[in-house]
Amino acid sequence: MHDISIPLAPGSPEWPGDTVFTCGWPQRMADGESVNVSQWIMSPHTGTHADAPLHVRDGAPGADAIPLAPFIGPALVVDVSHVEGAISLDVLQHGGYTVDTTRLLLQTGRSNASGAFPGHWPALDPDVARTLARSGLRLLGVDCPSVDDRHSKTLAVHHALFDGGAQVLESLDLRGISPGRWDLLAMPMKVGVVDAAPVRAFLRPLPSDTAR
């Protein structure tokens, strides 16, 4: 089993301008308390997380309404680290994508798992995102900080996926993961009406006869 989560810890890169992850200790046994109790302050987009539609649209469902089923089951990992700019459907098909793929994880090679926020990364062409969602994709995961280009203001890929009923999983650690089909387990935390939820994500080998 491969843990593909980025830890939440002091020093974890945050999106520029977001709240920096900090951890305090309001109660310490060393100070005479009966237990150690920590306190976290963070953006929910720090580390591995699932975006909620509320992130890109006022009045849309929050993280409390993120469904679990899309985050569990067979997933295809496609290496797109050679791509600069928009990722085409041809690139995905070359990596093994077929219309019955329901979970797609993109290995961009621009993860912040190494401790530094990347300057840029490839992203799906929005039309491709719409095509995937119409074809039955239910989850797009990426190892970079966003399914959209870093400088996007319209967040068209987010909108295309959410409009098509697909979920968004960001900031995975896919270093050392071989492209191909895996079994994904990635549980969003059950949090309130906020814009994203932290996720603990794993990949494990997929039996060859398992459905996609």
Coordinates of all heavy atoms in Angstrom, one line a residue, residues 45-118:
H45 N -6.9 24.0 1.9 CA -6.2 23.6 0.6 C -4.8 23.3 0.8 O -4.0 23.2 -0.1 CB -6.4 24.8 -0.4 CG -7.8 25.0 -0.7 ND1 -8.5 24.3 -1.7 CD2 -8.7 25.9 -0.2 CE1 -9.8 24.8 -1.7 NE2 -9.9 25.7 -0.8
T46 N -4.3 23.2 2.1 CA -3.0 22.8 2.4 C -2.9 21.3 2.4 O -3.8 20.6 3.0 CB -2.5 23.4 3.8 OG1 -2.7 24.8 3.8 CG2 -1.1 23.0 4.1
G47 N -1.9 20.7 1.9 CA -1.7 19.3 1.8 C -2.8 18.6 0.9 O -3.5 19.3 0.1
T48 N -2.9 17.3 0.9 CA -3.8 16.6 0.1 C -5.2 16.9 0.5 O -5.6 16.8 1.7 CB -3.5 15.1 0.2 OG1 -2.2 14.9 -0.2 CG2 -4.4 14.3 -0.8
H49 N -6.1 17.3 -0.5 CA -7.4 17.7 -0.1 C -8.4 17.5 -1.3 O -8.0 17.4 -2.4 CB -7.5 19.2 0.3 CG -7.0 20.1 -0.8 ND1 -5.7 20.4 -1.1 CD2 -7.7 20.8 -1.7 CE1 -5.6 21.2 -2.1 NE2 -6.9 21.5 -2.5
A50 N -9.7 17.5 -0.9 CA -10.8 17.4 -1.9 C -11.5 18.8 -1.9 O -11.9 19.3 -0.9 CB -11.8 16.3 -1.6
D51 N -11.6 19.4 -3.1 CA -12.3 20.6 -3.3 C -13.8 20.3 -3.3 O -14.3 19.3 -3.7 CB -12.0 21.3 -4.6 CG -10.7 22.1 -4.5 OD1 -10.1 22.2 -3.4 OD2 -10.2 22.6 -5.5
A52 N -14.6 21.3 -2.7 CA -16.0 21.2 -2.8 C -16.5 22.2 -3.8 O -15.8 23.2 -4.1 CB -16.7 21.5 -1.5
P53 N -17.7 22.0 -4.4 CA -18.2 23.0 -5.4 C -18.2 24.5 -4.8 O -18.1 25.4 -5.5 CB -19.6 22.5 -5.7 CG -19.4 21.0 -5.6 CD -18.5 20.8 -4.4
L54 N -18.4 24.6 -3.5 CA -18.5 25.9 -2.8 C -17.2 26.6 -3.1 O -17.2 27.9 -3.0 CB -18.7 25.7 -1.4 CG -18.7 26.9 -0.5 CD1 -19.9 27.8 -0.9 CD2 -18.9 26.5 1.0
H55 N -16.1 25.9 -3.4 CA -14.8 26.6 -3.6 C -14.8 27.6 -4.8 O -14.2 28.6 -4.8 CB -13.7 25.5 -3.8 CG -12.3 26.1 -4.0 ND1 -11.8 27.1 -3.2 CD2 -11.4 25.8 -4.9 CE1 -10.6 27.3 -3.7 NE2 -10.3 26.6 -4.7
V56 N -15.7 27.2 -5.8 CA -15.7 28.0 -7.0 C -17.0 28.6 -7.3 O -17.2 29.3 -8.3 CB -15.2 27.2 -8.2 CG1 -13.8 26.7 -8.0 CG2 -16.1 26.0 -8.4
R57 N -18.0 28.4 -6.4 CA -19.4 28.9 -6.7 C -20.1 29.2 -5.4 O -20.3 28.3 -4.6 CB -20.1 27.9 -7.5 CG -21.5 28.3 -8.1 CD -22.1 27.3 -9.0 NE -21.2 26.9 -10.1 CZ -21.0 25.7 -10.5 NH1 -21.5 24.7 -9.9 NH2 -20.2 25.5 -11.6
D58 N -20.5 30.4 -5.2 CA -21.3 30.8 -4.0 C -22.6 30.0 -4.0 O -23.3 29.8 -5.0 CB -21.7 32.3 -4.1 CG -20.5 33.2 -3.6 OD1 -19.6 32.6 -2.9 OD2 -20.5 34.4 -3.9
G59 N -23.0 29.5 -2.8 CA -24.2 28.8 -2.7 C -24.2 27.3 -3.1 O -25.2 26.6 -2.9
A60 N -23.1 26.9 -3.6 CA -22.9 25.5 -4.0 C -22.6 24.6 -2.8 O -22.3 25.1 -1.7 CB -21.8 25.3 -5.0
P61 N -22.8 23.3 -2.9 CA -22.5 22.4 -1.8 C -21.1 22.5 -1.2 O -20.1 22.7 -2.0 CB -22.7 21.0 -2.4 CG -23.7 21.2 -3.5 CD -23.3 22.5 -4.1
G62 N -21.0 22.4 0.1 CA -19.7 22.5 0.8 C -19.1 21.1 1.0 O -19.6 20.1 0.5
A63 N -18.0 21.1 1.7 CA -17.3 19.8 1.9 C -18.1 18.8 2.7 O -17.8 17.6 2.6 CB -16.0 20.1 2.7
D64 N -19.1 19.2 3.4 CA -19.9 18.3 4.2 C -20.8 17.4 3.2 O -21.3 16.4 3.6 CB -20.9 19.0 5.1 CG -21.8 20.0 4.4 OD1 -21.3 20.7 3.5 OD2 -23.0 20.1 4.8
A65 N -20.9 17.9 2.0 CA -21.7 17.1 1.0 C -20.9 16.4 0.0 O -21.5 15.8 -1.0 CB -22.7 18.1 0.3
I66 N -19.6 16.3 0.1 CA -18.7 15.6 -0.8 C -19.1 14.1 -0.7 O -19.0 13.5 0.3 CB -17.2 15.8 -0.5 CG1 -16.8 17.3 -0.8 CG2 -16.4 14.9 -1.4 CD1 -15.4 17.6 -0.4
P67 N -19.5 13.4 -1.8 CA -19.8 12.0 -1.8 C -18.5 11.2 -1.7 O -17.4 11.6 -2.1 CB -20.5 11.8 -3.1 CG -19.9 12.8 -4.0 CD -19.6 14.0 -3.2
L68 N -18.6 10.0 -1.0 CA -17.5 9.2 -0.8 C -17.1 8.2 -2.0 O -16.0 8.0 -2.2 CB -17.7 8.3 0.5 CG -17.8 9.1 1.8 CD1 -17.9 8.1 2.9 CD2 -16.6 10.0 2.0
A69 N -18.2 7.7 -2.7 CA -18.0 6.7 -3.7 C -16.9 7.1 -4.7 O -16.1 6.2 -5.1 CB -19.3 6.3 -4.3
P70 N -16.9 8.3 -5.2 CA -15.9 8.6 -6.2 C -14.4 8.5 -5.8 O -13.5 8.3 -6.6 CB -16.2 10.1 -6.6 CG -17.6 10.2 -6.3 CD -17.8 9.4 -5.0
F71 N -14.2 8.5 -4.5 CA -12.9 8.5 -3.9 C -12.4 7.1 -3.6 O -11.3 6.9 -3.0 CB -12.8 9.4 -2.7 CG -13.0 10.8 -2.9 CD1 -14.3 11.3 -3.0 CD2 -12.0 11.7 -3.1 CE1 -14.6 12.7 -3.3 CE2 -12.2 13.0 -3.4 CZ -13.5 13.5 -3.5
I72 N -13.2 6.0 -3.9 CA -12.8 4.7 -3.5 C -13.0 3.8 -4.8 O -14.1 3.8 -5.4 CB -13.7 4.1 -2.4 CG1 -13.7 5.0 -1.2 CG2 -13.2 2.7 -2.0 CD1 -14.7 4.6 -0.1
G73 N -12.0 3.1 -5.2 CA -12.1 2.2 -6.4 C -11.0 2.3 -7.4 O -10.0 3.0 -7.2
P74 N -11.1 1.6 -8.5 CA -10.1 1.6 -9.5 C -9.8 3.0 -10.0 O -10.7 3.8 -10.3 CB -10.7 0.7 -10.6 CG -11.7 -0.2 -9.9 CD -12.2 0.7 -8.8
A75 N -8.5 3.3 -10.2 CA -8.1 4.6 -10.7 C -6.9 4.4 -11.7 O -6.1 3.5 -11.5 CB -7.6 5.5 -9.6
L76 N -6.9 5.2 -12.7 CA -5.8 5.2 -13.7 C -4.8 6.4 -13.4 O -5.2 7.5 -13.4 CB -6.4 5.3 -15.1 CG -5.3 5.4 -16.2 CD1 -4.5 4.2 -16.4 CD2 -6.0 5.8 -17.6
V77 N -3.5 6.0 -13.3 CA -2.5 7.0 -13.1 C -1.8 7.2 -14.5 O -1.4 6.3 -15.1 CB -1.4 6.6 -12.1 CG1 -0.3 7.6 -12.0 CG2 -2.0 6.4 -10.7
V78 N -1.8 8.5 -15.0 CA -1.3 8.8 -16.3 C -0.1 9.9 -16.0 O -0.3 10.9 -15.4 CB -2.3 9.4 -17.2 CG1 -1.6 9.9 -18.5 CG2 -3.4 8.4 -17.5
D79 N 1.0 9.6 -16.6 CA 2.2 10.5 -16.5 C 2.1 11.5 -17.5 O 2.1 11.3 -18.7 CB 3.5 9.7 -16.7 CG 4.7 10.5 -16.5 OD1 4.6 11.7 -16.4 OD2 5.8 9.9 -16.6
V80 N 1.9 12.8 -17.1 CA 1.8 13.9 -18.0 C 2.9 14.9 -17.7 O 2.8 16.1 -18.1 CB 0.4 14.6 -17.9 CG1 -0.7 13.7 -18.4 CG2 0.1 15.1 -16.5
S81 N 4.0 14.4 -17.1 CA 5.1 15.3 -16.7 C 5.8 16.0 -17.8 O 6.5 17.0 -17.7 CB 6.0 14.6 -15.8 OG 6.6 13.5 -16.5
H82 N 5.7 15.4 -19.0 CA 6.3 15.9 -20.2 C 5.5 17.0 -20.9 O 6.0 17.7 -21.8 CB 6.5 14.8 -21.2 CG 5.2 14.2 -21.7 ND1 4.5 13.3 -20.9 CD2 4.5 14.3 -22.9 CE1 3.4 12.9 -21.6 NE2 3.4 13.5 -22.7
V83 N 4.3 17.3 -20.4 CA 3.4 18.3 -21.0 C 3.7 19.7 -20.4 O 3.8 19.8 -19.2 CB 2.0 17.9 -20.8 CG1 1.0 18.9 -21.4 CG2 1.7 16.5 -21.4
E84 N 3.7 20.6 -21.3 CA 3.7 22.0 -20.9 C 2.5 22.7 -21.4 O 2.2 22.6 -22.6 CB 5.0 22.8 -21.5 CG 6.3 22.2 -21.0 CD 6.6 22.6 -19.5 OE1 5.9 23.5 -19.0 OE2 7.4 21.9 -18.9
G85 N 1.7 23.3 -20.5 CA 0.4 23.9 -20.9 C -0.8 23.0 -20.8 O -0.9 22.2 -19.8
A86 N -1.6 23.0 -21.8 CA -2.9 22.2 -21.7 C -2.6 20.8 -22.1 O -1.9 20.4 -23.0 CB -3.9 22.8 -22.7
I87 N -3.3 19.9 -21.3 CA -3.2 18.4 -21.5 C -4.4 18.0 -22.5 O -5.5 18.3 -22.2 CB -3.4 17.7 -20.2 CG1 -2.2 18.1 -19.2 CG2 -3.3 16.2 -20.4 CD1 -2.5 17.7 -17.8
S88 N -4.0 17.4 -23.6 CA -5.0 17.0 -24.6 C -5.6 15.6 -24.3 O -5.0 14.8 -23.5 CB -4.4 17.0 -26.0 OG -3.4 16.0 -26.1
L89 N -6.7 15.3 -25.0 CA -7.2 14.0 -24.9 C -6.3 12.9 -25.4 O -6.2 11.8 -24.9 CB -8.6 14.0 -25.6 CG -9.4 12.7 -25.4 CD1 -9.7 12.4 -24.0 CD2 -10.7 12.8 -26.2
D90 N -5.6 13.3 -26.5 CA -4.6 12.4 -27.1 C -3.6 11.9 -26.1 O -3.2 10.7 -26.0 CB -3.9 13.0 -28.3 CG -4.8 13.1 -29.5 OD1 -5.9 12.4 -29.5 OD2 -4.5 13.8 -30.4
V91 N -3.1 12.9 -25.3 CA -2.1 12.5 -24.2 C -2.7 11.5 -23.2 O -2.0 10.5 -22.9 CB -1.6 13.8 -23.5 CG1 -0.8 13.5 -22.3 CG2 -0.7 14.6 -24.4
L92 N -3.9 11.8 -22.8 CA -4.5 10.8 -21.9 C -4.7 9.5 -22.5 O -4.5 8.4 -21.8 CB -5.9 11.4 -21.4 CG -5.8 12.8 -20.7 CD1 -7.2 13.2 -20.3 CD2 -4.9 12.7 -19.5
Q93 N -5.2 9.4 -23.7 CA -5.4 8.2 -24.4 C -4.1 7.4 -24.6 O -4.1 6.2 -24.4 CB -6.1 8.4 -25.7 CG -7.5 8.9 -25.6 CD -8.2 9.3 -26.9 OE1 -7.5 9.7 -27.8 NE2 -9.5 9.2 -26.9
H94 N -3.0 8.1 -24.9 CA -1.7 7.5 -25.0 C -1.3 6.9 -23.6 O -0.6 5.9 -23.6 CB -0.7 8.5 -25.4 CG 0.7 7.9 -25.6 ND1 1.0 7.1 -26.7 CD2 1.8 8.0 -24.9 CE1 2.3 6.7 -26.6 NE2 2.8 7.2 -25.5
G95 N -1.8 7.5 -22.5 CA -1.5 7.0 -21.2 C -2.4 5.9 -20.7 O -2.3 5.4 -19.6
G96 N -3.4 5.5 -21.6 CA -4.2 4.4 -21.2 C -5.7 4.8 -20.9 O -6.5 3.9 -20.6
Y97 N -6.0 6.1 -21.0 CA -7.4 6.5 -20.7 C -8.3 5.9 -21.8 O -8.1 5.9 -23.0 CB -7.5 8.0 -20.7 CG -8.9 8.5 -20.7 CD1 -9.7 8.5 -19.5 CD2 -9.6 8.8 -21.9 CE1 -11.0 8.9 -19.5 CE2 -10.9 9.2 -21.9 CZ -11.6 9.2 -20.7 OH -13.0 9.6 -20.7
T98 N -9.5 5.4 -21.3 CA -10.6 4.9 -22.1 C -11.8 5.5 -21.6 O -11.9 6.0 -20.4 CB -10.6 3.4 -22.2 OG1 -10.7 2.9 -20.9 CG2 -9.4 2.8 -22.9
V99 N -12.9 5.4 -22.3 CA -14.2 6.1 -21.9 C -14.8 5.5 -20.7 O -15.7 6.1 -20.1 CB -15.2 6.1 -23.1 CG1 -14.7 7.0 -24.2 CG2 -15.5 4.7 -23.6
D100 N -14.3 4.3 -20.3 CA -14.9 3.7 -19.1 C -14.0 3.9 -17.8 O -14.3 3.4 -16.8 CB -15.1 2.2 -19.3 CG -13.8 1.4 -19.7 OD1 -12.8 2.1 -20.0 OD2 -13.9 0.2 -19.8
T101 N -13.0 4.8 -18.0 CA -12.2 5.2 -16.8 C -13.0 6.2 -15.9 O -13.5 7.2 -16.4 CB -10.9 5.9 -17.3 OG1 -10.2 5.0 -18.1 CG2 -10.1 6.4 -16.1
T102 N -13.2 5.8 -14.7 CA -14.0 6.6 -13.8 C -13.2 7.5 -12.8 O -13.7 8.5 -12.3 CB -15.0 5.8 -13.0 OG1 -14.3 4.7 -12.3 CG2 -16.0 5.1 -13.9
R103 N -12.0 7.1 -12.6 CA -11.1 7.8 -11.7 C -9.7 8.0 -12.4 O -9.1 7.0 -12.8 CB -10.9 7.1 -10.4 CG -12.2 7.0 -9.6 CD -12.0 6.0 -8.4 NE -13.3 5.7 -7.8 CZ -14.1 4.7 -8.3 NH1 -13.6 3.9 -9.3 NH2 -15.3 4.5 -7.7
L104 N -9.3 9.2 -12.5 CA -8.1 9.6 -13.3 C -7.2 10.4 -12.4 O -7.6 11.4 -11.8 CB -8.4 10.4 -14.5 CG -7.3 10.8 -15.4 CD1 -6.5 9.6 -16.0 CD2 -7.9 11.7 -16.5
L105 N -5.9 9.9 -12.2 CA -4.9 10.7 -11.4 C -3.8 11.1 -12.4 O -3.2 10.3 -13.0 CB -4.4 9.8 -10.3 CG -5.4 9.1 -9.4 CD1 -4.6 8.2 -8.3 CD2 -6.3 10.1 -8.8
L106 N -3.5 12.4 -12.4 CA -2.5 12.9 -13.3 C -1.2 13.2 -12.6 O -1.2 13.9 -11.5 CB -3.0 14.3 -13.9 CG -4.3 14.1 -14.7 CD1 -4.6 15.5 -15.3 CD2 -4.1 13.1 -15.8
Q107 N -0.1 12.6 -13.1 CA 1.2 12.7 -12.5 C 1.9 13.8 -13.3 O 2.6 13.6 -14.3 CB 1.9 11.3 -12.7 CG 3.1 11.1 -11.8 CD 3.5 9.6 -12.0 OE1 3.5 9.1 -13.1 NE2 3.8 9.0 -10.9
T108 N 1.9 15.0 -12.8 CA 2.4 16.2 -13.5 C 3.9 16.4 -13.1 O 4.6 17.1 -13.9 CB 1.7 17.5 -13.1 OG1 2.0 17.8 -11.8 CG2 0.2 17.3 -13.3
G109 N 4.4 15.8 -12.0 CA 5.8 16.0 -11.6 C 6.0 17.4 -11.0 O 7.1 17.8 -10.7
R110 N 4.9 18.1 -10.7 CA 5.0 19.5 -10.1 C 4.3 19.5 -8.8 O 3.4 20.3 -8.5 CB 4.4 20.5 -11.1 CG 5.3 21.0 -12.2 CD 5.3 20.1 -13.3 NE 5.7 20.8 -14.6 CZ 5.7 20.2 -15.8 NH1 5.2 19.0 -15.9 NH2 6.0 20.9 -16.8
S111 N 4.6 18.6 -8.0 CA 4.0 18.4 -6.6 C 4.7 19.3 -5.6 O 5.9 19.6 -5.8 CB 4.0 17.0 -6.2 OG 3.6 16.9 -4.8
N112 N 4.0 19.7 -4.6 CA 4.6 20.5 -3.5 C 5.1 19.5 -2.4 O 5.4 19.9 -1.3 CB 3.8 21.6 -2.9 CG 2.4 21.1 -2.5 OD1 2.2 19.9 -2.2 ND2 1.5 22.1 -2.3
A113 N 5.1 18.2 -2.7 CA 5.5 17.2 -1.7 C 6.9 17.3 -1.3 O 7.3 16.9 -0.2 CB 5.2 15.8 -2.3
S114 N 7.7 17.9 -2.2 CA 9.1 18.1 -1.8 C 9.4 19.3 -0.9 O 10.5 19.5 -0.4 CB 10.0 18.4 -3.1 OG 9.5 19.5 -3.8
G115 N 8.3 20.1 -0.6 CA 8.4 21.2 0.3 C 8.4 22.5 -0.3 O 8.5 23.5 0.4
A116 N 8.3 22.6 -1.6 CA 8.3 23.9 -2.3 C 7.1 24.0 -3.2 O 6.7 23.0 -3.9 CB 9.6 24.0 -3.1
F117 N 6.5 25.1 -3.2 CA 5.3 25.3 -4.0 C 5.7 25.5 -5.5 O 6.6 26.4 -5.8 CB 4.5 26.6 -3.6 CG 3.1 26.7 -4.2 CD1 2.1 26.1 -3.5 CD2 2.9 27.4 -5.4 CE1 0.8 26.2 -4.1 CE2 1.6 27.4 -5.9 CZ 0.6 26.8 -5.3
P118 N 5.2 24.7 -6.4 CA 5.7 24.8 -7.8 C 5.2 26.1 -8.5 O 4.2 26.7 -8.2 CB 5.0 23.6 -8.5 CG 3.8 23.3 -7.6 CD 4.2 23.7 -6.2

